[in-house]
Amino acid sequence: MREKTFVLPGLGMLKFAMWQFGVAPQDSFYIGDHAYDADAYTPLDSWYRTAKTANWKNLSEVQNFYPSADAVGNFIVFNIKGKAYRLIVSIDYEGQIIYVKYVLTYAEYNKEQWKNDPYF
């Protein structure tokens, strides 16, 4: 199985081990330059741990793990912590690369500014 690669905004390509947050934060944590509330840590870490070991070949296989995952444009949208956050990614199934495009609150997601992304 090919080693999973994650690409994070502002950080470039990282091997999956570099995503690991380590100890759960008390107040907030950062992905790139963006701060997130500590309540997003555990659900994002859980998603990461599942994604790093998965060998998804298509959206159906993603939905076997995450039934609420949805294709929106060229992205896959995951509900994180119920519907408190949206994780928006692009997946290169053949190359086993996950491009983490956005982690948004419900309110940020509904503004739909992320749909202006040129890859949408």
Side-chain angles (χ1 to χ4, degrees), residues 1-80:
M1 183 165 131
R2 209 172 164 168
E3 184 174 272
K4 181 84 72 221
T5 300
F6 290 81
V7 179
L8 299 158
L11 298 178
M13 294 182 74
L14 303 173
K15 294 302 177 194
F16 65 79
M18 294 183 70
W19 167 289
Q20 293 175 354
F21 301 122
V23 177
Q26 303 235 344
D27 297 318
S28 62
F29 66 97
Y30 286 83
I31 298 176
D33 294 335
H34 195 87
Y36 297 94
D37 290 338
D39 69 338
Y41 170 84
T42 298
L44 282 169
D45 188 57
S46 176
W47 173 87
Y48 160 75
R49 290 175 189 278
T50 299
K52 78 175 184 178
T53 60
N55 192 21
W56 297 321
K57 293 180 177 54
N58 54 50
L59 179 59
S60 286
E61 291 187 3
V62 172
Q63 290 171 326
N64 287 336
F65 287 84
Y66 296 100
S68 66
D70 223 355
V72 181
N74 291 320
F75 299 139
I76 307 298
V77 178
F78 295 88
N79 293 329
I80 301 295

